[in-house]
Amino acid sequence: MNLIKKSLLTSLAATALLSAGLMANTTTADAAAKHIVRTNHVTYLYTKKGASVKNRALSAHSDWLVGKVISINGQTYDQVATNEYVIESEVTDVSNQAPVQKSSGVVFDGNAALYNDQTGKMDGNSLPDGTFWTVTRAVINKNNVVFYKVSAHEWAASQHLYVKNLNSEVEYSPDFGLNASDPNAKNSASVTAMQSAIYATINSERAKNGVGALKTDSSINNIAMTRAKELAQQFDHMRPNGEYFDSAFAEANYPTNGVGENIGAFYKASKFKTGQAASDALLKMFLEEPGQMHYYNMIRSDYTSVGVGVYIDQMGQLWIAQDFAM
């Protein structure tokens, strides 16, 4: 969101046995001191006689200290365990490089669908909820979605893979994973349900404070929807184009004597099964804020209308904008 799960390794190693045969004419040579090789993908294991090892394989992007180097019928093998070898051409000599730093992550809140960096799409595979995986790289894109590398070309997003102590820097790649999606996001309440509930909550809180209800219409709601989508690119009152949020009112030719804005975000839209649940969580966040400035915006008496924008991005993150006008 981590290399290859054990059950998958087992099946891959077993498959390799079908095409592997026994080979004779073995010669042996001593390996160089501190000869280290790195796997580039799930790598099959062989015995010193060249027979495939059942039920075992090496994880992708892992480092191994080589014992002996042997040749079987002209094919070079590196020893990585007492009686286990890899074909030398299938690994990379990294003796003079730093070892791969590994981190562990756990899948949570549903299965983690996998993004393939070769196809640029979700590949239909997923990591089961509650399982642990090794992570060797992390990339964050311009939508602030973090992806963790879990195999040669597969990545799991941080929405479903929690890594406590990442042993490498998070790389910035603005367009990485923009076509990724989270199947779990489909289980959230609808955008319309969330908008309606948030609008009702605003006026309910205003009534509790003796303030009149705010009007709404499609024009100001469209402004708020524009802002909610922009929040997925830049979570700020400053817009991605460098202008302040009030420019969205000017672009829509919406007449005002003054404007205000509240913004909020949640990591997972799927946690909200109803629109009211999302609205309640947003209100709770505003009430628990020191100074309650967002809540004060909701109940200001000089505002007359409000637009509510709700946007769920492709990774299931929820972005909310409340745009007020006088």
Side-chain angles (χ1 to χ4, degrees):
M1 46 159 328
N2 281 258
L3 292 177
I4 294 293
K5 201 162 185 275
K6 183 177 180 181
S7 59
L8 179 57
L9 290 180
T10 299
S11 63
L12 287 171
T15 302
L17 181 61
L18 299 177
S19 59
L22 296 177
M23 295 173 281
N25 303 325
T26 302
T27 59
T28 304
D30 290 332
K34 293 185 178 180
H35 181 187
I36 300 172
V37 295
R38 179 171 299 166
T39 58
N40 303 309
H41 46 70
V42 175
T43 303
Y44 304 132
L45 291 166
Y46 301 87
T47 68
K48 63 182 179 180
K49 293 184 178 181
S52 294
V53 174
K54 297 181 179 179
N55 303 324
R56 282 176 58 78
L58 301 185
S59 299
H61 305 291
S62 56
D63 291 349
W64 299 87
L65 181 64
V66 174
K68 295 180 179 180
V69 178
I70 65 174
S71 179
I72 305 175
N73 289 344
Q75 179 74 66
T76 303
Y77 291 76
D78 293 336
Q79 183 186 34
V80 293
T82 302
N83 189 32
E84 293 179 334
Y85 296 76
V86 294
I87 297 175
E88 190 171 72
S89 62
E90 294 185 356
V91 294
T92 301
D93 188 335
V94 292
S95 302
N96 297 321
Q97 298 180 31
V100 171
Q101 296 297 312
K102 299 179 182 180
S103 302
S104 178
V106 61
V107 180
F108 69 99
D109 199 17
N111 295 346
L114 295 178
Y115 172 77
N116 190 297
D117 62 14
Q118 285 188 311
T119 64
K121 300 176 181 178
M122 309 304 289
D123 64 10
N125 296 327
S126 63
L127 309 181
D129 192 6
T131 57
F132 289 82
W133 300 82
T134 299
V135 172
T136 55
R137 284 181 65 193
V139 171
I140 186 170
N141 65 21
K142 63 184 179 183
N143 291 342
N144 295 316
V145 178
V146 179
F147 289 87
Y148 296 114
K149 192 168 189 178
V150 296
S151 71
H153 294 286
E154 290 180 318
W155 303 69
S158 53
Q159 277 79 0
H160 291 284
L161 186 65
Y162 174 68
V163 179
K164 185 176 182 180
N165 295 309
L166 185 64
N167 290 327
S168 62
E169 293 184 359
V170 179
E171 305 165 36
Y172 180 65
S173 180
D175 297 325
F176 188 91
L178 295 184
N179 292 325
S181 60
D182 179 11
N184 297 283
K186 298 178 181 178
N187 299 322
S188 64
S190 70
V191 165
T192 302
M194 292 185 190
Q195 283 180 295
S196 298
I198 292 169
Y199 175 66
T201 296
I202 291 171
N203 280 333
S204 174
E205 292 302 309
R206 290 176 69 85
K208 291 178 183 178
N209 287 274
V211 182
L214 297 179
K215 298 179 295 182
T216 192
D217 57 55
S218 60
S219 296
I220 196 168
N221 269 333
N222 286 340
I223 293 170
M225 285 298 293
T226 295
R227 288 291 299 128
K229 291 177 181 179
E230 290 177 344
L231 295 177
Q233 302 175 52
Q234 181 172 309
F235 188 65
D236 198 299
H237 293 297
M238 191 71 70
R239 303 176 68 187
N241 65 6
E243 297 181 347
Y244 205 50
F245 78 89
D246 61 342
S247 64
F249 286 85
E251 288 177 4
N253 295 315
Y254 194 90
T256 73
N257 292 317
V259 296
E261 180 177 77
N262 285 343
I263 59 177
F266 294 94
Y267 206 45
K268 290 180 180 298
S270 59
K271 68 186 293 186
F272 304 121
K273 305 307 180 185
T274 66
Q276 192 59 53
S279 181
D280 290 345
L282 184 67
L283 177 62
K284 183 175 184 290
M285 184 167 60
F286 289 169
L287 288 173
E288 292 179 349
E289 173 195 21
Q292 296 187 338
M293 292 302 297
H294 289 80
Y295 184 74
Y296 175 69
N297 253 356
M298 289 173 53
I299 62 173
R300 277 185 59 166
S301 60
D302 48 358
Y303 288 141
T304 57
S305 59
V306 64
V308 176
V310 172
Y311 177 61
I312 301 173
D313 67 21
Q314 79 275 14
M315 293 308 300
Q317 297 178 111
L318 175 61
W319 308 93
I320 301 171
Q322 298 173 342
D323 285 275
F324 303 92
M326 297 177 183

